[in-house]
Amino acid sequence: MSHIEELHKAQNYFFKTRKAQDIKYRIQSLQRLKKVIESKEQHIYKALAEDLGKSEFETFLTEYNVIIGELKNYISRISKWSRPKRVRPSVLNFPSKARIYPEPYGNVLIISPWNYPFQLALAPLIGAVAAGNTVVLKPSEFSNATGLLLREIIEEAFEKEHVSVALGDAQTAQELTALPWNYVFFTGSPDVGKLIYQAAAKHLTPVTLELGGKNPCVIHESAHIKVTAKRIVWAKFLNAGQTCIAPDYLLVHKDIKEPLVKEIKIQIHNFFGKEVKDSPDFPRINRKEHFDKLVKMMAGESLIEGGDHDRESLFIAPTLLNEPSRSSKVMEIEIFGPILPVISYSTKEDLERWIDSYEKPLAGYCFTGNSRFEKWFINRFSFGGGVINDSIVHYLNDRLPFGGVGNSGIGSYNGQKTFETFSHFKGVVHRGTWIDLPVVYAPYAHKLNRIKKLMNWL
């Protein structure tokens, strides 16, 4: 029996002891996790700088603070969310009461990505623990420093039969997904997501797949130019564009393309200075293979801004591309880097041709001062979630579900929704015995007209 199989067996046994389902134990576990994370704040900054070249500020904003906020939220609300919920009983069951009981699925596998390796590992883990499950976390092998730190944090905060970290490459992931889990949560590419789904289907295991896609960003002629440019630059070049909900390409009305591009260039230099490579606030590409793929995307395209790159330091400057064709490499798949195609449009039909030529994306964005156009955009296009007059910030509202649709994902999470994702909601009817209507019991002779009248009356 392999180490992975032994761990899976141990967690199965631990779950059956029902210790993980005890509300007090769940709260204490998350309190320990919070304490350990707070004690290792500087280690977290160091790991993210090593893996992605992130500044302390960006790591705090997009990784550390998100998780601390999530832990505070869960620690204070687990008891409330775990209570049975009363619902109105059916008259057909009179006399009765009805309740919905949240219960954990059991043994959960979470496979997290490299682009936000701390946040996207721990956010679902917190919800899974809060719901009463055991967890095996498989961090990405492409964020090695953060993966090692996550293992250290988890080992200090949890009993290993409750929550553990399995480090390794794709072979480890295959070994893990071959086992019969009670729930699988995966964040990554659609191609890998399909493999995860196939493996889970063999055991009828429910899944959440947080994937990606080519997120459109439409800029209507009524948009506020300066604010739009500033918000696009922030969202697109955060984490050097390695964000699954970053704007993938701009569709700009032809009448404002020139002033918008000019303002975007100004804001890039306002953010990162004239020499972006020297900025302490601009991260790096995760690894050389991904760097090479991004450089190939730029080959032969018309540059508006940027294009500078250095393989040794994994630096690619914020880059604007002018009017790439639909058949170009950069428009074939999700970019996942600091490259932003700028495409002009004239009519709504132009927008439909571009956006409908792709699978449903994880996010959709629209900058406009026209409420009718805003409503048209929201109703016309399907996407996982989105923002009007900004981008990516919908993830920050933990009262909104976060997830994809179609090729960009299955299921959702965020805030209380994460607790619900990792819970099975068991509906139970509590019947009274002080009266028992005989009309429903056999023999049924001469009862049909009576039951029809009763149904009509109800």
Side-chain angles (χ1 to χ4, degrees):
M1 183 181 292
S2 70
H3 168 70
I4 296 294
E5 290 172 318
E6 289 178 354
L7 179 59
H8 184 263
K9 183 178 180 181
Q11 288 204 345
N12 265 307
Y13 177 79
F14 185 84
F15 182 77
K16 289 174 182 177
T17 68
R18 302 186 64 81
K19 187 175 181 180
Q21 298 176 53
D22 180 75
I23 301 296
K24 185 177 179 181
Y25 181 79
R26 300 185 210 180
I27 293 172
Q28 289 174 341
S29 296
L30 294 183
Q31 286 173 331
R32 284 197 306 273
L33 177 60
K34 179 174 176 288
K35 185 176 180 180
V36 173
I37 289 172
E38 288 173 336
S39 72
K40 296 184 183 294
E41 182 176 351
Q42 293 302 317
H43 298 269
I44 295 165
Y45 296 147
K46 183 179 179 181
L48 270 294
E50 183 175 336
D51 286 332
L52 288 153
K54 287 191 180 185
S55 66
E56 286 192 11
F57 183 90
E58 187 169 321
T59 295
F60 174 82
L61 184 68
T62 65
E63 307 252 11
Y64 178 84
N65 191 55
V66 173
I67 293 305
I68 293 298
E70 196 83 336
L71 282 165
K72 289 177 181 177
N73 188 33
Y74 267 88
I75 289 166
S76 65
R77 296 183 181 180
I78 290 174
S79 297
K80 178 182 177 182
W81 292 343
S82 301
R83 292 178 197 141
K85 181 182 177 182
R86 296 178 60 178
V87 297
R88 190 173 68 182
S90 170
V91 177
L92 298 175
N93 287 329
F94 180 83
S96 72
K97 298 177 182 178
R99 301 283 187 275
I100 298 173
Y101 293 85
E103 66 176 14
Y105 277 102
N107 306 117
V108 169
L109 172 64
I110 295 173
I111 303 176
S112 60
W114 54 262
N115 60 323
Y116 290 87
F118 187 76
Q119 183 222 126
L120 294 181
L122 291 180
L125 184 148
I126 291 165
V129 169
N133 300 280
T134 64
V135 180
V136 169
L137 170 66
K138 162 62 176 75
S140 172
E141 65 271 29
F142 300 124
S143 50
N144 188 54
T146 306
L148 290 169
L149 181 59
L150 282 168
R151 184 175 66 180
E152 184 181 321
I153 289 170
I154 295 303
E155 287 179 350
E156 195 170 330
F158 297 97
E159 296 180 72
K160 68 177 182 178
E161 295 84 6
H162 184 201
V163 181
S164 289
V165 171
L167 297 177
D169 57 13
Q171 186 175 346
T172 300
Q174 289 173 7
E175 188 178 353
L176 285 164
T177 55
L179 296 171
W181 301 92
N182 298 113
Y183 204 98
V184 174
F185 189 104
F186 169 78
T187 304
S189 70
D191 287 343
V192 179
K194 290 171 186 177
L195 298 176
I196 301 293
Y197 204 10
Q198 288 173 358
K202 293 178 182 178
H203 304 288
L204 294 180
T205 300
V207 299
T208 292
L209 303 177
E210 295 298 332
L211 309 177
K214 290 193 77 67
N215 307 319
C217 184
V218 174
I219 297 93
H220 189 251
E221 64 262 38
S222 61
H224 189 295
I225 298 293
K226 185 171 183 178
V227 171
T228 297
K230 191 182 296 184
R231 291 178 179 177
I232 287 172
V233 170
W234 177 78
K236 176 61 181 180
F237 301 118
L238 187 75
N239 201 30
Q242 299 166 117
T243 304
C244 60
I245 52 173
D248 194 87
Y249 60 104
L250 302 186
L251 292 168
V252 187
H253 194 276
K254 61 182 181 62
D255 291 346
I256 62 165
K257 179 186 173 184
E258 185 177 339
L260 179 68
V261 166
K262 181 179 179 181
E263 189 61 40
I264 288 176
K265 292 164 73 173
I266 290 170
Q267 294 304 328
I268 288 173
H269 295 300
N270 286 345
F271 279 34
F272 306 115
K274 291 294 181 182
E275 294 293 334
V276 182
K277 191 176 181 181
D278 297 331
S279 171
D281 300 319
F282 190 75
R284 294 300 186 259
I285 304 306
N286 173 259
R287 61 192 185 279
K288 284 184 167 61
E289 294 82 2
H290 188 48
F291 175 94
D292 293 340
K293 184 172 75 171
L294 292 170
V295 170
K296 286 179 182 178
M297 287 183 181
M298 295 189 287
E301 297 296 336
S302 174
L303 287 171
I304 302 174
E305 174 74 7
D308 302 332
H309 54 275
D310 174 45
R311 195 171 190 266
E312 186 62 31
S313 63
L314 294 174
F315 166 78
I316 296 179
T319 299
L320 304 181
L321 301 182
N322 190 40
E323 304 288 349
S325 69
R326 176 62 180 83
S327 60
S328 63
K329 279 184 169 40
V330 77
M331 296 308 293
E332 284 180 353
I333 59 172
E334 182 182 4
I335 296 170
F336 222 65
I339 303 168
L340 185 58
V342 182
I343 299 159
S344 57
Y345 78 91
S346 298
T347 66
K348 288 180 178 178
E349 289 73 26
D350 293 336
L351 295 175
E352 290 172 337
R353 278 192 293 272
W354 269 104
I355 298 174
D356 289 345
S357 71
Y358 296 104
E359 298 274 10
K360 295 176 181 179
L362 183 56
Y365 306 116
C366 179
F367 288 82
T368 179
N370 185 312
S371 61
R372 290 179 63 186
F373 186 83
E374 171 186 326
K375 290 175 184 176
W376 173 81
F377 177 82
I378 293 171
N379 292 324
R380 174 60 182 80
F381 300 109
S382 179
F383 45 86
V387 189
I388 303 299
N389 289 321
D390 207 342
S391 54
I392 81 171
V393 295
H394 56 301
Y395 182 77
L396 301 177
N397 187 340
D398 64 8
R399 289 170 289 280
L400 290 174
F402 178 81
V405 58
N407 199 65
S408 60
I410 296 171
S412 59
Y413 72 117
N414 202 20
Q416 185 177 349
K417 181 65 180 174
T418 313
F419 176 89
E420 295 169 357
T421 289
F422 289 106
S423 299
H424 166 65
F425 288 87
K426 183 167 57 182
V428 178
V429 172
H430 301 256
R431 296 241 16 218
T433 56
W434 57 272
I435 188 171
D436 197 30
L437 300 179
V439 69
V440 298
Y441 298 122
Y444 299 125
H446 312 299
K447 290 183 178 180
L448 182 58
N449 287 334
R450 289 167 61 193
I451 197 70
K452 283 183 176 181
K453 288 179 181 179
L454 178 61
M455 293 297 183
N456 287 334
W457 178 75
L458 294 175

